[in-house]
Amino acid sequence: MMTETNPDADFDVLVKEANRVFMENFHPKTWFGRCIFLSWYCDVGTCDFCFRSTIKHKIKHASSAKRSLPSILTDAIIGKNLGWRIEFLTGGYRIFSFEEQIGICKKVSEVYGHKIWVNLGSIDKEGLLQMEQYVEGVCASIECVNPDLHRKVCPDKPIEPYSDMLRIAKEMGFKTSMTIVIGLGEKRFDFDALARFIEEHELDRITFYALKPVQGTRYTKSPEPEEYAWWIAKTRIRFPKLEIMAGLTPRRAEEYAGLLLRAGANALTKFPAVRRFGSAQAEEIERQAAEAGRTFLGSLTRLPDIDWAAEVEKLPFEEGLKARINQKIGEYTEKMRLGIQKTDK
Ligand code: SF4
């Protein structure tokens, strides 16, 4: 006689087990990991889920899509003071020269007072050598591990150069990580390929994202929260000590932040923390973290009383750059205050 199983009950058991494994291996804390973007243009531009694939033809000059240095550094200064960890410095390929990228890594690491992580494409040994003074870890944007699906989704971004980078970086003493997007068409049996990839490369971290469908691409829906959490929970159980970051999608962030933490994610990322600072969503994320038994390090809702000009003054930057950063910080913090006021009403 066949026994019927209740898929919901199975899922609950899986999440409970993942939470138990997490609690056995980590302190019950969580935080927000902030990605710092360098540009919104990418010279690859053909990954079929990415918003950059929909704007590539509209941007004639990559230089006009670069973020300014004061804006990048303002992001870092605000993040540091709000207790947001830097997830990585990232951006579209071949926008800044390599020397410019090194210069930005140096300055961002000076803001944070420690080495940072980068996700800047496949970097060769020579490039890694130039970065090692400022960079602690490198991340490879793998997106999906099923080779056939990968060829379809990222036709011009093969996995091999990333694999090579991860191996070389590991040998050189860098920490390593990968990103993966759930919702691109992967099947649950692809989990074995993911686990093999993590094992083979001895990764220290993985960042999951839930697909956010972009208009103009072939995708129309995000994965269900349970499906997304399933991948995180399976990864936590298989890799008890791996750092797992879970991206939120802004529209539904507050619906499942707690679920992702209970599924074993260490921390959350991909929330527009400045734009939605102090919002009801940000409040809900912090509340759900507490409900999941985690202490939230830093804040998405309370702006500490900081003398920003004094913070900028401490940095080893030239005066003109400091002046431009001060102006940007004024603009950013004003937005954040307005966010808090709107929620208070
Ligand atoms: S390489 Fe990255 S940024 Fe460029 S199109 Fe692909 S996913 Fe988007």
Side-chain angles (χ1 to χ4, degrees):
M1 195 177 89
M2 273 183 48
T3 350
E4 278 194 10
T5 53
N6 174 351
D8 290 344
D10 289 349
F11 178 71
D12 289 348
V13 170
L14 182 77
V15 169
K16 264 200 189 118
E17 175 62 4
N19 195 37
R20 186 191 65 74
V21 174
F22 176 87
M23 293 295 183
E24 252 179 41
N25 288 280
F26 294 95
H27 294 297
K29 293 177 181 160
T30 192
W31 64 90
F32 173 65
R34 172 90 163 151
C35 284
I36 300 187
F37 279 92
L38 303 186
S39 73
W40 53 95
Y41 173 87
C42 165
D43 199 43
V44 175
T46 49
C47 302
D48 75 354
F49 65 95
C50 176
F51 82 93
R52 289 179 176 95
S53 71
T54 66
I55 59 168
K56 188 176 188 214
H57 62 288
K58 296 182 196 152
I59 300 182
K60 298 263 184 316
H61 303 289
S63 58
S64 66
K66 275 184 192 175
R67 226 176 139 185
S68 73
L69 184 60
S71 162
I72 294 167
L73 295 173
T74 296
D75 225 338
I77 294 167
I78 290 184
K80 183 195 170 195
N81 283 282
L82 269 291
W84 305 340
R85 294 193 191 172
I86 174 166
E87 164 79 349
F88 42 58
L89 204 64
T90 188
Y93 294 162
R94 298 187 275 272
I95 305 307
F96 287 92
S97 69
F98 196 71
E99 288 63 37
E100 283 176 309
Q101 287 184 356
I102 302 274
I104 296 170
C105 290
K106 176 176 187 288
K107 286 192 162 55
V108 173
S109 70
E110 283 167 346
V111 169
Y112 266 85
H114 57 70
K115 292 185 184 184
I116 58 169
W117 282 70
V118 294
N119 178 352
L120 294 169
S122 59
I123 307 166
D124 61 14
K125 188 166 186 176
E126 183 53 38
L128 291 168
L129 270 172
Q130 289 181 53
M131 284 187 162
E132 64 186 350
Q133 216 182 328
Y134 316 114
V135 172
E136 170 192 12
V138 292
C139 178
S141 284
I142 301 295
E143 327 297 14
C144 63
V145 285
N146 176 314
D148 295 331
L149 186 62
H150 192 278
R151 270 190 287 277
K152 195 167 152 205
V153 171
C154 304
D156 299 309
K157 197 172 67 154
I159 292 178
E160 290 70 26
Y162 285 101
S163 272
D164 292 346
M165 173 186 75
L166 291 171
R167 273 190 209 101
I168 295 168
K170 198 80 198 176
E171 282 166 17
M172 291 173 71
F174 286 94
K175 290 186 178 165
T176 53
S177 104
M178 71 184 287
T179 63
I180 183 141
V181 181
I182 302 301
L184 294 173
E186 72 290 328
K187 299 283 180 267
R188 287 186 173 188
F189 59 71
D190 290 324
F191 179 76
D192 287 339
L194 174 64
R196 267 199 308 278
F197 194 93
I198 296 170
E199 269 158 12
E200 273 173 29
H201 295 85
E202 299 174 71
L203 298 183
D204 301 283
R205 181 199 282 176
I206 183 169
T207 300
F208 282 94
Y209 298 113
L211 176 74
K212 181 181 165 217
V214 173
Q215 222 180 3
T217 67
R218 68 188 173 92
Y219 300 97
T220 53
K221 63 183 180 67
S222 295
E224 289 305 317
E226 289 72 19
E227 183 59 19
Y228 183 39
W230 182 90
W231 283 82
I232 293 174
K234 290 290 280 187
T235 307
R236 168 55 64 221
I237 294 166
R238 179 80 170 257
F239 300 97
K241 296 194 185 298
L242 181 69
E243 183 170 286
I244 302 178
M245 300 294 296
L248 298 166
T249 50
R251 211 161 41 86
R252 304 178 68 187
E254 73 284 13
E255 283 177 38
Y256 59 84
L259 173 62
L260 302 181
L261 295 175
R262 285 186 285 109
N266 292 75
L268 304 167
T269 183
K270 204 162 195 294
F271 177 72
V274 169
R275 197 156 36 87
R276 303 263 167 105
F277 190 79
S279 64
Q281 281 178 314
E283 297 269 3
E284 184 59 18
I285 292 168
E286 289 185 358
R287 193 193 67 73
Q288 287 194 18
E291 201 175 74
R294 306 281 190 97
T295 303
F296 200 97
L297 306 174
S299 181
L300 293 169
T301 53
R302 285 167 304 283
L303 200 52
D305 189 16
I306 286 170
D307 181 345
W308 294 101
E311 287 299 313
V312 175
E313 193 47 42
K314 283 186 214 158
L315 296 168
F317 302 157
E318 47 102 1
E319 292 308 312
L321 178 57
K322 285 183 187 171
R324 289 167 66 207
I325 293 173
N326 276 324
Q327 188 188 343
K328 279 273 168 218
I329 288 187
E331 293 166 14
Y332 274 53
T333 49
E334 182 58 20
K335 258 190 234 163
M336 291 161 86
R337 275 191 203 94
L338 287 174
I340 296 171
Q341 280 166 17
K342 259 193 225 155
T343 314
D344 283 349
K345 270 181 200 163

